[in-house]
Amino acid sequence: MPSILPLCTLTPPSASRLWSSHPHPTLPLIATASSDKTVRLYSLASLDLESTITGGHKRSIRSCAWKPSSGVKSGESVLATGSFDASCGVWRRWEQGTGIGKLAKGLEKGKGTEWEGLGAEGEPEEDERDFTRGLAGGAEEEDEDEDEWRFAVILDGHDSEIKSLAFSPTAPLLATCSRDKSVWIWEELEDDNFETVAVLQEHDGDVKCVAWSPVEELLVSGSYDNAIRVWREDVDDWACCGLLEGHSGTVWWVEFEGADRFGKVGAGASDSLSAEQQILLEQRKAAGPRIISCSDDLTIRIWRRVPKEIKEQPTGQGKMPSIWKNRDFEEEWVQECVLPKAHERAVYAVSWSRKTGRVVSTGSDGKVVVYEERWKGGRNGEGDSAMADASAVSGRVEGRKDEATGSSTEWMVVAEVENAHDVFEVNHVVWAPRADKGKIGEDEEVIVTTGDDGEVKVWLLNDD
Amino acid sequence: MSAILSADDLNDFISPGVACIKPVETLPLHKPSPSSNPYEVTTEETVHAENPPPAQISLTDCLACSGCVTSAEAVLVSLQSHSEVLETVGRCRELRPEWLGGAESEGNGMVNGQGDGVQEKIFIASISPQTRASLAATYGVSEREAGYMIDQLLSGPYGLRAGGAHGSGFTWVLDTNVMREACLVAAADEAQQMLDDREAGLKRPVLTSACPGWVCYAEKTHPHVLPHLSKLKSPQAMTGTLVKSVLARKYGIPPEKIWHMAVMPCFDKKLEASRIELTSHAWAGEEAERVRDVDCVITARELLMLAESRNISFPCLPRTPLSKTFRPPFPDPAINRLLFPPTRKPKRSTASFEPSAIGTSDGYLHHILLTQQSRHPSSSIKVHRGRNADVSDYSVLSAEGVEVFRAARYYGFRNIQNLVRRLKPAKVSRMPGATRRPAGGRLRKPAGGGEAEYAYVEVMACPGGCTNGGGQIKVGDVMTLRQGGTGMSNGGDQEIVPAQKEWLARVDEAYWSAESGDEGVDESVDEDGDHDMTNADTSNGLTNVNANGSHANGDGVGDIIDGIDRSRVKAFFDRWAEATGVEYEKLVFTTFRAVESDVGKAKPVGDMERVAGLAVQVGGGW
């Protein structure tokens, strides 16, 4: 039976509330948005504070987003910050000093991929910087301390607090959402030259969260109006192509399933699957990554797209169709299931592991809960016993089965911990690659929680 | 953009519109007592849980976001609704020109013809071309027929005059296109003036100020662009000034005796009509009572509601021109000739461009480009479509291929964002201490360095321009309307964008059909079968230059540009100033000002006083 074990609290903690933490796409770094108007960058290798971004915003930084590595110059990190001051800042830093140099060192030691060799020793990085200086962006950068975060551009436009922001992994697009009820999409035409390409105003309330699909230019947003909307570019403008209704409270977080995960269940081995299970997986592949959402209504829901069928055009005899619908543009999303109820108060965040497909949630009640999707009926080696174990411990085996699916999988709670941040609310949870000394396997992950107590905590999911 | 608001929605209190961009957070005047913890999330929850006090958004906040008004604005804007039209037309007796003294009579126009104490007013309406296009597309008639139907409704024997306590109707129904031509010529001159004298006057680029949604947004949110705004009045405002100034002077009556209604594609035009800058004080001095130049703005949808309220079936109205007996001549012959041209000539020759080049918003940019082109013999206009259909870039290239003039079109909120951001003066970063390098310079350069090079930008708040205004008939209502009802169910389901686009294309087509004169030049035959005779009238002193001639005159520009006779328009301006004794500048220009929103600030007075104060201020008349 898995359990959630505390690994450590990143040091030093902040004196004020922390909102959310966002792992760097390649380096063992995590950026934590703080209500003291700063971003704290912690090393997941040394588990210490590595640097701080200050001086940019006038109010709380609510969220931040790393530009995907595909979109940046090699060796540079780009971080966008979304603040309650209604602006979004973009920051840059050359990582040669900390990244490439360390990488070289890490590789020497045979430690593998880019970020893994980094900083576990907690050494000062001065030595490495010199031999990479030549790569660090040319003469005009000479006077700059390369370790330093450089403010690059500020994006104004929102009328109120920015709640969340996200870079598209498939296109040079940044989405921001705000208490002004709008979602903005910005295109980066060239470095730091952003243009507003869309202002989407269909939500009736504060927009809490935005997230991009990992495989296509598809954006999802969750709002105080209890709705989730899916957005896509039509002929000339972005528009809402899907409305996901079901939550009865604020939707605090939405997220897509990982690109490598959809079409898999559990460990993903497909050799011993029944025909029925094979069909389900095929259907999921056709539908694309699912969406997960969590809400003030205490539920966590999973939504899936209904794959398009080719339909004949209605053949009206010169009549104006009574309902004007563009079936090519609209998407139909259905609720696939509700995860087993584990929270007693609002669920603020969920994170869907890109590696294992597990989901971790947290919220106002201070709990951290891990869920897993399994085949029903104990096939595929997962076994009835595992289910029974889980049920014995959690007492909550399965979520509400949804008619829409007739699914042959079910979600169950596999582990949970209470009072993760003592008596404080936990604002955010995310899976991150493990990078500290204790790391065992390549794909090992940690759970990172961010709380009102100013602490960022790292947890291990012990599978024993 | 303000598609949500309609007079139907107006009641004593309206919560912020669905897409209101005003921060509600600053509104509560009292902190929720139990939770003194300034936990940002919690505060919001509590605010929403307790019934918040009505959002206070001042009149000068814009509707551009999508239409949110509150009690004060609701009262003011509800003064401009179809029911207000009904009430006024029903209550007041129509003041017919024939009852008034002749031109320039001294003061005796005040005499009540019947002596029974019933208020009397001259009723006059002006109709935007976009409204006609919307109705034309709705009922499958031509744009011109739609115009005739509106004339019939407002002035004709089967229209408003068939009912009401006094059988009152509108004495004149004008086409705002007439004043639009004047606006276009003045706009071209204004742009040229900016080029000639870079020190004085407007900042480059000049930005269109005819869209009230855009103007309000700029005044509220981006004061730095105000020095760029064209000082010209919009066609609605200029028409208002024209009718009030000329009629008041000619009949010797105070302007409040003249009731001017405009039918517009856009709800924000109601707010424009409420602007303090657009009242009689601007042109008649401040001694007399302040009277608005436009008393009431309604939209196409409200026009249909107006008809329905009087049990008039709009689609059943005659699609023929109204007999002359219902339209006395405007008291100034020269202006009469301008307002009611003898034949509807094709406004614009489309030989060298697609009608869509005019755009859907009165064609400011197009006219300015053609004016610039005429200044440079053998020059050509190059169009470069921007990243979406609502942005384009235009260059006038000399015969040698050198760019002599650059302009652009920016429609829609998302594109306006990019424009205002780039017009922002370079300043030290808001992020001090973040870097040793100032944020300007290298990091802030605009894409292609374009915006500062523009001499003129046509800016409209609505994507797709004015034919897509919030007051236009919604595609969801069309079927019901055609079946006879008015189907005003607040637009129905408007979520499906592509359908709306297809519908828009039809409205645009109707709009351009009028622009390009595709309907052909008609010998307009009125109901009585008489041919229009006005073209024989040459006694008005305005020279009618051969429409094909393009001889250069003093200002180095051809006379006929874009189908508009410049010298005729200039003669009109002179005539107008002469007839009213008011300077040209006071008649055609207006001003803009940065607006401090009073949202969230301590209210000095109670709601009622504030509403009353505002109403008095703008001549709301209650």
Side-chain angles (χ1 to χ4, degrees):
Chain A
M1 177 58 207
S3 55
I4 301 172
L5 302 174
L7 179 64
C8 70
T9 297
L10 299 179
T11 53
S14 163
S16 49
R17 169 185 307 126
L18 299 179
W19 283 114
S20 59
S21 298
H22 308 269
H24 190 284
T26 52
L27 300 171
L29 265 182
I30 194 158
T32 301
S34 168
S35 59
D36 69 3
K37 308 166 198 168
T38 69
V39 177
R40 302 167 74 85
L41 290 121
Y42 287 105
S43 164
L44 286 174
S46 67
L47 306 172
D48 290 327
L49 186 65
E50 180 254 22
S51 60
T52 309
I53 295 177
T54 57
H57 290 286
K58 291 177 189 152
R59 291 184 61 195
S60 206
I61 295 177
R62 177 66 181 82
S63 183
C64 36
W66 294 98
K67 196 166 172 183
S69 51
S70 58
V72 299
K73 292 190 197 87
S74 162
E76 193 178 34
S77 291
V78 180
L79 183 72
T81 49
S83 163
F84 283 170
D85 69 9
S87 71
C88 166
V90 178
W91 309 78
R92 296 173 169 270
R93 178 173 76 169
W94 292 104
E95 299 290 359
Q96 275 87 349
T98 54
I100 307 296
K102 282 287 183 179
L103 172 63
K105 192 170 173 182
L107 288 173
E108 273 167 30
K109 292 181 181 174
K111 275 202 168 183
T113 56
E114 260 184 275
W115 48 268
E116 286 167 1
L118 259 199
E121 301 82 5
E123 290 171 3
E125 287 131 15
E126 298 301 319
D127 309 341
E128 279 79 20
R129 193 174 310 130
D130 273 336
F131 78 70
T132 54
R133 183 162 292 244
L135 302 172
E140 61 173 337
E141 305 285 348
E142 214 79 89
D143 60 337
E144 272 190 40
D145 181 348
E146 284 151 25
D147 265 1
E148 194 168 320
W149 285 97
R150 310 184 311 276
F151 161 67
V153 72
I154 187 161
L155 302 178
D156 281 321
H158 278 292
D159 254 29
S160 186
E161 299 164 2
I162 291 181
K163 292 300 172 72
S164 156
L165 68 174
F167 280 103
S168 162
T170 59
L173 298 172
L174 171 69
T176 56
C177 66
S178 157
R179 188 171 191 160
D180 66 17
K181 305 175 186 174
S182 66
V183 174
W184 290 42
I185 297 174
W186 311 75
E187 180 172 355
E188 190 171 17
L189 301 176
E190 56 203 70
D191 271 357
D192 300 329
N193 177 18
F194 287 84
E195 275 215 336
T196 310
V197 291
V199 178
L200 307 167
Q201 307 198 72
E202 274 88 337
H203 274 299
D204 290 345
D206 188 354
V207 188
K208 298 294 187 185
C209 181
V210 282
W212 291 94
S213 162
V215 294
E216 58 187 314
E217 282 163 48
L218 189 68
L219 183 74
V220 63
S221 60
S223 162
Y224 179 77
D225 67 9
N226 305 351
I228 298 165
R229 286 181 181 270
V230 185
W231 313 87
R232 209 147 57 80
E233 191 168 21
D234 195 10
V235 180
D236 195 51
D237 197 359
W238 284 75
C240 181
C241 63
L243 176 59
L244 285 57
E245 289 176 299
H247 280 297
S248 58
T250 300
V251 180
W252 284 105
W253 196 268
V254 282
E255 193 167 292
F256 276 96
E257 188 172 16
D260 299 331
R261 280 301 311 176
F262 71 98
K264 291 181 189 170
V265 170
S270 57
D271 39 355
S272 61
L273 293 182
S274 69
E276 186 194 357
Q277 289 169 335
Q278 296 280 15
I279 288 166
L280 179 82
L281 293 187
E282 286 310 311
Q283 283 171 345
R284 285 192 177 172
K285 280 177 187 156
R290 293 172 287 173
I291 290 172
I292 193 165
S293 61
C294 65
S295 159
D296 227 48
D297 69 8
L298 315 185
T299 66
I300 299 166
R301 295 168 198 246
I302 291 177
W303 313 77
R304 77 181 149 79
R305 178 161 56 186
V306 178
K308 290 255 160 77
E309 295 161 32
I310 311 300
K311 282 179 184 153
E312 277 183 49
Q313 291 293 319
T315 51
Q317 291 289 321
K319 282 183 187 170
M320 192 185 298
S322 58
I323 305 168
W324 299 65
K325 284 204 174 183
N326 184 337
R327 296 188 184 277
D328 291 339
F329 180 71
E330 281 179 87
E331 296 185 352
E332 186 186 355
W333 286 78
V334 293
Q335 180 177 307
E336 181 171 290
C337 64
V338 180
L339 266 54
K341 180 172 176 291
H343 288 281
E344 281 115 57
R345 293 174 66 183
V347 190
Y348 289 149
V350 283
S351 178
W352 202 334
S353 166
R354 267 64 181 142
K355 294 221 157 58
T356 65
R358 282 172 173 151
V359 165
V360 60
S361 68
T362 193
S364 171
D365 59 9
K367 275 190 187 174
V368 176
V369 183
V370 176
Y371 313 77
E372 190 169 270
E373 184 180 29
R374 293 180 186 170
W375 292 111
K376 272 185 207 163
R379 289 182 209 168
N380 196 21
E382 295 283 341
D384 288 326
S385 59
M387 279 172 59
D389 281 354
S391 99
V393 173
S394 69
R396 297 180 294 268
V397 178
E398 56 187 316
R400 208 189 84 206
K401 274 172 261 178
D402 205 282
E403 318 291 30
T405 64
S407 176
S408 46
T409 71
E410 60 197 346
W411 286 85
M412 55 189 57
V413 173
V414 294
E416 64 178 52
V417 62
E418 303 208 352
N419 301 322
H421 284 244
D422 199 9
V423 299
F424 293 92
E425 291 195 339
V426 186
N427 292 319
H428 185 257
V429 65
V430 66
W431 295 98
R434 185 170 186 184
D436 64 276
K437 282 186 239 179
K439 170 185 167 69
I440 311 163
E442 281 309 308
D443 285 343
E444 196 180 0
E445 287 184 300
V446 289
I447 294 167
V448 181
T449 58
T450 311
D452 268 3
D453 53 1
E455 296 194 348
V456 180
K457 291 191 175 184
V458 183
W459 310 79
L460 292 174
L461 183 68
N462 186 345
D463 262 319
D464 300 335
Chain B
M1 279 188 150
S2 52
I4 312 296
L5 175 68
S6 91
D8 285 352
D9 304 327
L10 300 174
N11 52 36
D12 203 30
F13 164 64
I14 295 174
S15 56
V18 288
C20 178
I21 54 171
K22 298 306 298 176
V24 178
E25 50 152 348
T26 51
L27 297 177
L29 298 173
H30 61 278
K31 274 264 170 195
S33 41
S35 113
S36 55
N37 178 359
Y39 188 95
E40 276 149 301
V41 173
T42 312
T43 302
E44 176 188 80
E45 298 308 303
T46 322
V47 164
H48 281 277
E50 299 186 356
N51 252 336
Q56 295 299 318
I57 297 168
S58 81
L59 176 64
T60 36
D61 280 325
C62 66
L63 288 182
C65 60
S66 93
C68 69
V69 259
T70 51
S71 43
E73 293 73 54
V75 172
L76 284 168
V77 174
S78 70
L79 289 175
Q80 303 178 43
S81 66
H82 75 285
S83 38
E84 174 66 13
V85 178
L86 277 179
E87 192 276 326
T88 311
V89 173
R91 175 171 52 82
C92 301
R93 180 176 296 126
E94 185 182 348
L95 194 53
R96 298 285 296 180
E98 51 267 33
W99 304 335
L100 294 159
E104 318 287 354
S105 68
E106 290 300 320
N108 57 4
M110 295 293 288
V111 175
N112 180 325
Q114 315 274 317
D116 56 5
V118 174
Q119 258 198 48
E120 296 186 325
K121 282 185 192 295
I122 296 178
F123 291 108
I124 184 161
S126 44
I127 314 296
S128 68
Q130 291 87 3
T131 301
R132 285 195 300 273
S134 185
L135 291 169
T138 302
Y139 292 112
V141 299
S142 73
E143 187 264 0
R144 184 175 313 174
E145 286 170 327
Y148 293 149
M149 290 159 79
I150 296 171
D151 289 351
Q152 293 281 359
L153 172 68
L154 298 176
S155 287
Y158 314 110
L160 295 179
R161 287 201 164 110
H166 307 287
S168 302
F170 285 80
T171 307
W172 290 290
V173 178
L174 310 179
D175 178 353
T176 54
N177 268 349
V178 170
M179 288 309 279
R180 179 187 69 179
E181 293 193 358
C183 290
L184 294 180
V185 170
D189 288 351
E190 190 184 40
Q192 185 58 45
Q193 200 186 359
M194 183 278 295
L195 292 174
D196 291 343
D197 183 2
R198 301 205 176 189
E199 299 305 309
L202 291 170
K203 270 171 105 172
R204 179 193 187 103
V206 175
L207 309 177
T208 322
S209 64
C211 169
W214 151 238
V215 167
C216 289
Y217 177 69
E219 286 184 326
K220 182 190 74 179
T221 317
H222 299 289
H224 68 273
V225 307
L226 296 182
H228 295 272
L229 281 187
S230 162
K231 294 192 182 310
L232 260 188
K233 287 180 184 175
S234 72
Q236 167 184 305
M238 211 186 283
T239 307
T241 310
L242 176 80
V243 299
K244 295 244 171 164
S245 63
V246 172
L247 291 176
R249 179 64 179 238
K250 286 285 174 183
Y251 292 136
I253 55 175
E256 63 260 31
K257 285 267 169 195
I258 304 154
W259 202 79
H260 177 214
M261 172 182 86
V263 189
M264 288 288 141
C266 170
F267 290 106
D268 293 5
K269 283 283 177 188
K270 293 174 194 269
L271 287 190
E272 180 190 301
S274 303
R275 288 180 72 90
I276 208 160
E277 292 87 350
L278 300 174
T279 60
S280 57
H281 278 195
W283 48 267
E286 301 190 356
E287 297 82 29
E289 198 184 327
R290 185 196 293 276
V291 179
R292 292 209 296 249
D293 289 350
V294 181
D295 294 278
C296 184
V297 176
I298 63 170
T299 62
R301 297 171 66 197
E302 290 170 299
L303 190 75
L304 296 180
M305 287 191 256
L306 178 70
E308 192 193 41
S309 305
R310 284 285 189 90
N311 288 318
I312 299 164
S313 166
F314 187 84
C316 297
L317 286 166
R319 297 172 187 184
T320 50
L322 204 55
S323 157
K324 277 273 167 38
T325 54
F326 291 94
R327 201 199 70 206
F330 206 72
D332 186 295
I335 295 174
N336 180 58
R337 191 178 158 70
L338 181 95
L339 293 179
F340 304 104
T343 52
R344 253 180 70 137
K345 56 176 176 155
K347 294 290 184 217
R348 286 164 161 170
S349 147
T350 51
S352 55
F353 52 83
E354 291 292 305
S356 59
I358 299 165
T360 56
S361 315
D362 291 351
Y364 283 86
L365 176 67
H366 183 69
H367 185 79
I368 288 168
L369 285 170
L370 292 188
T371 307
Q372 288 296 324
Q373 191 180 16
S374 78
R375 297 178 64 90
H376 300 92
S378 311
S379 60
S380 58
I381 296 175
K382 197 183 78 187
V383 186
H384 179 73
R385 191 181 178 277
R387 55 187 302 111
N388 58 59
D390 287 329
V391 196
S392 333
D393 195 297
Y394 299 80
S395 304
V396 178
L397 300 176
S398 71
E400 298 79 38
V402 178
E403 183 178 274
V404 291
F405 188 81
R406 184 136 182 245
R409 175 178 290 159
Y410 276 74
Y411 288 177
F413 192 58
R414 59 177 170 155
N415 295 318
I416 286 177
Q417 286 307 313
N418 296 319
L419 179 68
V420 295
R421 196 157 47 242
R422 285 177 189 140
L423 291 176
K424 209 170 249 184
K427 58 176 181 184
V428 181
S429 161
R430 262 175 58 186
M431 303 205 158
T435 170
R436 288 171 216 157
R437 184 199 307 278
R442 168 177 85 93
L443 297 170
R444 269 210 107 106
K445 66 171 180 268
E451 285 68 17
E453 295 308 311
Y454 293 138
Y456 188 87
V457 184
E458 183 177 279
V459 188
M460 301 285 159
C462 289
C466 295
T467 46
N468 185 30
Q472 299 283 77
I473 291 169
K474 304 295 170 211
V475 62
D477 291 334
V478 169
M479 286 313 281
T480 333
L481 285 172
R482 286 187 182 168
Q483 285 151 15
T486 48
M488 291 305 168
S489 55
N490 277 326
D493 180 11
Q494 291 300 308
E495 296 256 315
I496 297 117
V497 177
Q500 175 68 15
K501 277 183 180 161
E502 195 173 318
W503 169 248
L504 249 187
R506 294 183 185 203
V507 179
D508 289 351
E509 206 179 299
Y511 179 79
W512 289 322
S513 76
E515 292 286 341
S516 59
D518 282 350
E519 295 168 27
V521 183
D522 74 342
E523 287 289 310
S524 71
V525 178
D526 69 21
E527 266 179 358
D528 307 330
D530 295 336
H531 281 263
D532 249 333
M533 297 301 290
T534 28
N535 49 3
D537 175 14
T538 49
S539 63
N540 55 46
L542 291 188
T543 47
N544 195 0
V545 178
N546 174 2
N548 299 316
S550 185
H551 59 83
N553 63 9
D555 58 8
V557 184
D559 261 347
I560 310 283
I561 290 171
D562 190 17
I564 298 171
D565 183 338
R566 286 176 58 85
S567 50
R568 191 157 167 266
V569 167
K570 293 190 167 180
F572 155 73
F573 279 134
D574 292 344
R575 177 67 199 136
W576 181 11
E578 186 193 328
T580 55
V582 181
E583 305 151 50
Y584 168 77
E585 285 74 17
K586 283 188 178 171
L587 294 172
V588 304
F589 294 120
T590 184
T591 54
F592 306 99
R593 69 217 185 289
V595 172
E596 271 287 305
S597 165
D598 52 6
V599 172
K601 295 181 181 153
K603 274 187 295 179
V605 290
D607 277 350
M608 278 319 289
E609 291 122 282
R610 187 162 161 270
V611 173
L614 273 171
V616 167
Q617 228 182 358
V618 299
W622 64 294

